[in-house]
Amino acid sequence: QVQLVESGGGSVQAGGSLRLSCSASTDTYTHMGWFRRAPGKEREGVAIIHRDGLITYYANSVKGRFTISQDNTKRTAYLQMNSLKPEDTAMYYCAAAMGWVPSDASLRERTYNYWGQGTQVTVSS
């Protein structure tokens, strides 16, 4: 079992920045990262990082604006979000998976067994 706790959401104007944090209760995960669900839409993968820190995956919509990183000593992943847009408004969820994950499944919701409660990000125009 992995428990995940997010922090760092909030409200910001378009063009601004926010940093999300996700802390895990154990270090047994292999992949950790972020999904989001906007009102009326399905949850989508945003950014994932492998525990080794060498492999990351990003949704096309956030490439070049968001950066995922981690501090293994703290079992914490971070999502730095820059140049935020109103369409980034969503509930952001931290997720973690154990075991091997094929590359093409890294941003798929069903890959992940462990989820945080979510933190709201609101970007105003």
Side-chain angles (χ1 to χ4, degrees):
Q1 289 285 341
V2 181
Q3 293 181 326
L4 304 172
V5 178
E6 304 106 330
S7 63
S11 298
V12 66
Q13 290 190 327
S17 299
L18 285 172
R19 188 175 84 152
L20 306 183
S21 300
C22 176
S23 295
S25 59
T26 73
D27 60 359
T28 54
Y29 59 89
T30 57
H31 292 69
M32 188 157 74
W34 300 90
F35 285 70
R36 67 185 181 187
R37 177 182 283 141
K41 295 187 177 181
E42 294 184 352
R43 190 154 56 181
E44 62 172 353
V46 176
I48 296 294
I49 189 166
H50 191 273
R51 265 193 68 80
D52 62 10
L54 300 178
I55 302 173
T56 57
Y57 304 91
Y58 292 94
N60 288 335
S61 59
V62 306
K63 284 181 181 177
R65 300 188 298 122
F66 292 11
T67 302
I68 189 168
S69 61
Q70 65 181 5
D71 182 338
N72 281 345
T73 63
K74 298 180 180 179
R75 300 190 299 272
T76 300
Y78 303 97
L79 185 67
Q80 179 66 43
M81 304 185 293
N82 298 329
S83 302
L84 282 160
K85 305 175 180 180
E87 51 263 44
D88 294 317
T89 294
M91 184 70 77
Y92 283 69
Y93 298 90
C94 183
M98 296 182 181
W100 180 75
V101 174
S103 297
D104 60 358
S106 296
L107 288 172
R108 292 181 186 171
E109 182 179 3
R110 63 184 181 183
T111 298
Y112 297 84
N113 303 107
Y114 304 99
W115 295 88
Q117 294 298 309
T119 185
Q120 179 67 37
V121 171
T122 303
V123 184
S124 58
S125 58

